[in-house]
C-alpha cells in the first residue's frame, strides 16, 4: 500500500525519531510564482474569475469556502482576496525583479503545535487547482500522497494493537478503493466524511447495498476509540462538546502524521542543495509541489511503511 504517488514514503527509524516532534516555530519555505499568470488572473472580472477558476468539482465549488486564520471566506470574498494578493505579487515582481519570496507557514489555531501548516498570510497553497497552471512557474512537480489519510490510519491501527486479520476489511478497501466506492456509489470525499464521524449516517444504515461500508465504518470507529482511550494525551485532542469526539481527536492525530510525511519529503528535496533560495516548496494537504526534480530512486528510498 502506497501513500506517495510515485511512491510510498518509507522513513528510517532515525528519521522517524528526528521528525517525531515538529517545531512550534513558524516554518519558512521559498515560493516561486509566475508574474504573467498572476497578472492575468488579477485582471479578471469577478464573473470571469468565477467561470474560469471556481468550477464545480466533486467537493462542490472550489474556493467557495476557504479557511484563513479564524475566518472562512465566501466565494465572493475569496475572489476579491486572491485578486488583491496576486496584484501584490505582480507589484513585488515589478519592484524587485524577483519572482520568488519567503513564505512563513503556521499551524492552525485549533491545533497550534502540530498538524497541517498554512501560509501565515497568502501563499500559492490557497489557489485552486485550475489556477495552478497560471500561478505556478513551469516545471513544477507534484509529489502526491495517495489515499494518505486511510493508509496512515491503517498503519496507526497496526502499531497500536491491531493485526492484519483484525483489519481485513480495511485492507481490502485500500487495495480495491475504486471498486468499493463505485459499488457504494459514493465519492472519496463522501467516504472520508463518513469516516470522520462517531456514528453511522442514516443514509448508510438504511441502505442494504452499503452493508459492507457500514461494517467498515464500525470497524474503524472501534479502533479509533480503543486507541484514543488507551492514550489520554491523544484523546485530549478532542473537543468535549463535539458529537464526533473520537473522530475529531483522531483527525488531529492523522493531520500530524500527514505533516510528518510531508516534512520528510521536503527535507529530502532540500538536502545537500546549494541553491536552496531558488527551490520552490508549496506544502499541500495531500503532498508537495516543488520546482526540483525528484527521482523515483529517491522516493523509493524514503518509502514509509510504518514498520
Amino acid at each position: 500500500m502506497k501513500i506517495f504517488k510515485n511512491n510510498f514514503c518509507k522513513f528510517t527509524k532515525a528519521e522517524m525519531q528526528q521528525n517525531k516532534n515538529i517545531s512550534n516555530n513558524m516554518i519558512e519555505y521559498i515560493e516561486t510564482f509566475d508574474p504573467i499568470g498572476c497578472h492575468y488572473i488579477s485582471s479578471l472580472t469577478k464573473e470571469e474569475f468565477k467561470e474560469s477558476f471556481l468550477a464545480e468539482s466533486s467537493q462542490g465549488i472550489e474556493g467557495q469556502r476557504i479557511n484563513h486564520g479564524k475566518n472562512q471566506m465566501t466565494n465572493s470574498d475569496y475572489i476579491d482576496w486572491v485578486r488583491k494578493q496576486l496584484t501584490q505579487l505582480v507589484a513585488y515582481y515589478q519592484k524587485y525583479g524577483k519572482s520568488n519570496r519567503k513564505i512563513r507557514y503556521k499551524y492552525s489555531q485549533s491545533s497550534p503545535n502540530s498538524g497541517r501548516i498554512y501560509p501565515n498570510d497568502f501563499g500559492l497553497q490557497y489557489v485552486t487547482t485550475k489556477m495552478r497552471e497560471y500561478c505556478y512557474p513551469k516545471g513544477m512537480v507534484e509529489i502526491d500522497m495517495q489515499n494518505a489519510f486511510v493508509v496512515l490510519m491503517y498503519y496507526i491501527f497496526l502499531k497500536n494493537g491491531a493485526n492484519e486479520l483484525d483489519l481485513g476489511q480495511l485492507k481490502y478497501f485500500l487495495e480495491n478503493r475504486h471498486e468499493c466506492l463505485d459499488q457504494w456509489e459514493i465519492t472519496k470525499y463522501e467516504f472520508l466524511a463518513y469516516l470522520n464521524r462517531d456514528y453511522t449516517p442514516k443514509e448508510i444504515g438504511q441502505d442494504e447495498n452499503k452493508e459492507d461500508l457500514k461494517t467498515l465504518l464500525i470497524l474503524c470507529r472501534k479502533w479509533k476509540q480503543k486507541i484514543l482511550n488507551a492514550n489520554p494525551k491523544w484523546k485530549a485532542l478532542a473537543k468535549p462538546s463535539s458529537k464526533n469526539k473520537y473522530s475529531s481527536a483522531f483527525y488531529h492525530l492523522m493531520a500530524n502524521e500527514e505533516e510528518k510525511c510531508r516534512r520528510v519529503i521536503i527535507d529530502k528535496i532540500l538536502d545537500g542543495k546549494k541553491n536552496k533560495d531558488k527551490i520552490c516548496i508549496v506544502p499541500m494537504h495531500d503532498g508537495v509541489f516543488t520546482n526540483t526534480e525528484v527521482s523515483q530512486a529517491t522516493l523509493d528510498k524514503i518509502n514509509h511503511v510504518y514498520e
Side-chain angles (χ1 to χ4, degrees), residues 57-306:
S57 72
S58 54
Q59 289 178 290
I61 300 291
E62 267 201 298
Q64 184 165 359
R65 303 191 68 79
I66 183 166
N67 289 313
H68 179 55
K70 279 186 174 181
N71 305 316
Q72 280 196 321
M73 294 185 180
T74 63
N75 196 347
S76 178
D77 288 342
Y78 174 76
I79 294 173
D80 289 338
W81 181 61
V82 170
R83 287 191 306 181
K84 178 182 176 181
Q85 296 297 330
L86 295 183
T87 298
Q88 291 177 357
L89 286 185
V90 174
Y92 173 88
Y93 173 76
Q94 290 171 335
K95 183 175 182 179
Y96 298 106
K98 295 168 61 177
S99 59
N100 62 327
R101 59 183 189 142
K102 284 184 180 179
I103 300 292
R104 301 181 77 193
Y105 290 85
K106 62 182 180 180
Y107 299 107
S108 69
Q109 294 193 1
S110 62
S111 182
N113 300 317
S114 63
R116 292 175 172 175
I117 58 174
Y118 303 85
N120 189 41
D121 186 20
F122 176 79
L124 295 183
Q125 185 189 100
Y126 284 134
V127 304
T128 66
T129 303
K130 288 189 173 184
M131 289 167 63
R132 289 176 192 160
E133 63 181 281
Y134 292 88
C135 296
Y136 286 20
K138 289 181 174 59
M140 289 286 278
V141 175
E142 180 182 15
I143 303 173
D144 185 54
M145 292 197 286
Q146 193 172 34
N147 204 18
F149 189 94
V150 188
V151 174
L152 286 171
M153 183 176 71
Y154 174 78
Y155 284 114
I156 285 179
F157 288 171
L158 287 178
K159 285 176 67 179
N160 288 275
N163 58 50
E164 289 194 5
L165 188 61
D166 295 327
L167 305 177
Q169 290 167 301
L170 182 55
K171 186 175 182 181
Y172 180 84
F173 171 79
L174 289 169
E175 293 172 346
N176 303 276
R177 184 180 64 155
H178 296 297
E179 293 84 349
C180 290
L181 294 177
D182 287 346
Q183 178 187 333
W184 300 330
E185 297 180 330
I186 60 173
T187 67
K188 63 179 181 179
Y189 304 109
E190 288 172 323
F191 175 75
L192 290 173
Y194 294 143
L195 194 61
N196 284 303
R197 296 182 188 178
D198 287 352
Y199 59 93
T200 301
K202 286 183 181 178
E203 64 267 28
I204 301 298
Q206 297 174 354
D207 190 335
E208 293 181 358
N209 294 324
K210 293 184 172 66
E211 279 298 317
D212 290 342
L213 172 58
K214 179 181 175 182
T215 305
L216 176 58
L217 295 176
I218 291 171
L219 170 71
C220 293
R221 287 204 303 272
K222 168 192 163 184
W223 279 101
K224 281 191 282 189
Q225 291 177 14
K226 189 171 183 177
I227 290 169
L228 291 171
N229 285 333
N231 293 273
K233 186 177 178 181
W234 291 352
K235 191 177 179 181
L237 295 169
K239 295 179 181 178
S241 60
S242 173
K243 64 179 179 180
N244 297 307
K245 182 171 63 174
Y246 288 100
S247 292
S248 66
F250 209 83
Y251 178 86
H252 285 296
L253 174 64
M254 295 302 303
N256 196 38
E257 293 301 311
E258 288 176 342
E259 178 59 15
K260 288 178 185 178
C261 287
R262 272 187 297 277
R263 290 289 290 274
V264 168
I265 284 292
I266 291 170
D267 287 348
K268 288 294 183 182
I269 291 170
L270 296 174
D271 185 40
K273 301 290 194 307
K274 295 180 180 178
N275 59 337
K276 287 186 173 66
D277 61 327
K278 291 183 171 59
I279 296 177
C280 176
I281 298 289
V282 183
M284 306 297 289
H285 299 329
D286 56 356
V288 180
F289 278 93
T290 180
N291 60 352
T292 300
E293 186 64 37
V294 182
S295 71
Q296 184 61 55
T298 298
L299 290 172
D300 288 343
K301 285 178 183 176
I302 53 176
N303 203 17
H304 174 3
V305 248
Y306 264 70

